[in-house]
Amino acid sequence: MNRWSGKYPVSSWSYDTRCTSRGGSWENNLTSDYEALYEFLTDQLPDTPANAEKRKRLRDRGFIDDSGKVCVMVTRNEVKDEIARISSVGEDILRRFAGAALAYAMTEARDYPPQMQDLIVCEKMYSFIDPVTALMTCDLLYERGVWKPLREAEKVAVDLLMFSDALPAKD
């Protein structure tokens, strides 16, 4: 899911998966969270009573820790440039899932009027293959030791990327 701010040069891309500790899907993925994090990054969110609620939500969500460290992956790259850096999954893996995805989509489409069935198949194919392929890629990276097991503090941001013109301070 994506979020864009009309107030600041900040946006985000995220998935809730079994790899992440976040929950709540779109209901807990608010543009205001990223705007507050942007304010935090740019020193526009001082630790005052007026900002207590925003700072508490950032801590509760795991976007910042108790010491003030940002726990979200932030990049200055444009969304399209960052996504282009993600490697693709091999054709053999995609083919294995294409048949099952098509069968599932066609079965579900039967519950809709004929004029809507093509649309339902297209939507179901996209939503089935895309997240499943992403999770399979993550599983392979963990299995092969390319990625190390995540600590609890890292799980909040594992499938979350914020795009911004400001980066967290280096430790």
Side-chain angles (χ1 to χ4, degrees):
M1 101 193 59
N2 299 301
R3 294 290 181 254
W4 295 270
S5 171
K7 187 175 180 180
Y8 298 118
V10 65
S11 61
S12 70
W13 171 84
S14 67
Y15 273 104
D16 287 350
T17 69
R18 67 175 174 264
C19 299
T20 183
S21 62
R22 284 187 325 277
S25 190
W26 65 270
E27 295 170 317
N28 198 26
N29 189 44
L30 307 176
T31 300
S32 59
D33 291 334
Y34 303 104
E35 290 175 342
L37 187 55
Y38 183 82
E39 291 171 354
F40 184 84
L41 290 171
T42 57
D43 295 323
Q44 298 176 59
L45 193 66
D47 196 1
T48 63
N51 293 322
E53 188 65 31
K54 284 183 181 180
R55 292 176 75 95
K56 180 181 183 317
R57 179 153 168 90
L58 289 175
R59 278 191 309 279
D60 290 350
R61 299 239 24 240
F63 283 17
I64 61 174
D65 65 16
D66 290 336
S67 68
K69 180 182 175 195
V70 174
C71 302
V72 172
M73 294 180 284
V74 182
T75 181
R76 280 191 172 152
N77 290 337
E78 295 289 326
V79 174
K80 65 179 176 50
D81 297 332
E82 195 65 36
I83 290 175
R85 295 177 57 196
I86 299 171
S87 60
S88 61
V89 174
E91 285 292 318
D92 59 324
I93 293 175
L94 291 175
R95 282 195 183 109
R96 278 192 266 167
F97 282 92
L102 182 58
Y104 168 79
M106 291 177 75
T107 299
E108 186 144 337
R110 288 184 200 133
D111 294 337
Y112 292 84
Q115 70 272 19
M116 291 183 62
Q117 289 181 1
D118 287 345
L119 173 66
I120 300 303
V121 168
C122 289
E123 286 181 351
K124 295 299 173 183
M125 287 293 291
Y126 174 78
S127 66
F128 183 81
I129 292 176
D130 191 43
V132 169
T133 303
L135 281 174
M136 288 174 47
T137 302
C138 290
D139 289 344
L140 288 172
L141 291 169
Y142 285 116
E143 278 177 26
R144 295 177 182 166
V146 175
W147 287 353
K148 62 181 174 57
L150 297 170
R151 298 184 320 250
E152 284 304 311
E154 294 170 323
K155 288 183 179 181
V156 71
V158 70
D159 296 322
L160 168 63
L161 187 56
M162 184 170 129
F163 304 90
S164 170
D165 67 348
L167 296 176
K170 294 185 180 183
D171 295 336

